[in-house]
Amino acid sequence: MDGGADETSAREAVPFRIVGLGYVSLYIHDLDRAMAFYGRVFGPPNSTPEGDEPAGWKMGSTWLTIFPSTAGASPSSNPRNTEFAIQVTSPEEVDTLHGALVEAGARVCMAPRDTTMYEPMRFGCVDDPFGVRIDVYCPLDPST
């Protein structure tokens, strides 16, 4: 794409506004080696794994999370199954973007719902046709 008028018009026509990309997750077959590698780079994780629980490093306003490969879409290999999260501006936009991804050919992993992971959020996820998991979320006001 060259960024011309057609691309600009198409971008302006989407019914959601992405405000961030975060919560990078990797599903690693050799978890001990991955923990050692990322620990050498980033220091000890802020969230230490127990059993099948993930390890997480706080990185600015988001997290890098390392899961055992058994939790991913391809349990016998390293992360050819990769995940990223897209933050949108409202809970309704989670449903809209999730629906658009499914309409374009993604497979539903989790239908949008209100949940708590790192914070209260509206969350849903899909696997794209190439094996990448895409999370869509919007933080929720915990007082509501």
Side-chain angles (χ1 to χ4, degrees):
M1 295 193 159
D2 65 3
D6 289 342
E7 182 180 336
T8 301
S9 295
R11 192 176 311 112
E12 291 169 353
V14 297
F16 44 81
R17 187 173 70 90
I18 296 170
V19 296
L21 179 66
Y23 296 116
V24 175
S25 299
L26 302 175
Y27 298 83
I28 305 293
H29 187 66
D30 190 345
L31 191 59
D32 291 337
R33 245 178 91 214
M35 292 294 298
F37 171 79
Y38 286 103
R40 277 192 307 273
V41 176
F42 301 118
N46 302 90
S47 171
T48 305
E50 289 185 29
D52 285 343
E53 294 296 314
W57 285 265
K58 182 76 171 149
M59 297 193 166
S61 64
T62 195
W63 288 80
L64 168 64
T65 305
I66 304 296
F67 289 93
S69 63
T70 54
S74 184
S76 63
S77 71
N78 277 317
R80 50 172 237 230
N81 49 320
T82 303
E83 175 179 327
F84 62 90
I86 301 170
Q87 181 180 354
V88 293
T89 60
S90 72
E92 297 78 18
E93 287 183 353
V94 171
D95 296 24
T96 301
L97 178 52
H98 187 274
L101 289 162
V102 171
E103 189 174 309
R107 181 181 61 83
V108 175
C109 296
M110 183 183 296
R113 64 183 175 102
D114 293 348
T115 186
T116 300
M117 186 171 180
Y118 297 112
E119 60 187 324
M121 65 177 73
R122 179 83 177 159
F123 174 87
C125 65
V126 300
D127 284 344
D128 78 6
F130 316 102
V132 175
R133 182 150 300 166
I134 303 170
D135 301 340
V136 181
Y137 76 100
C138 178
L140 297 174
D141 182 353
S143 66
T144 59

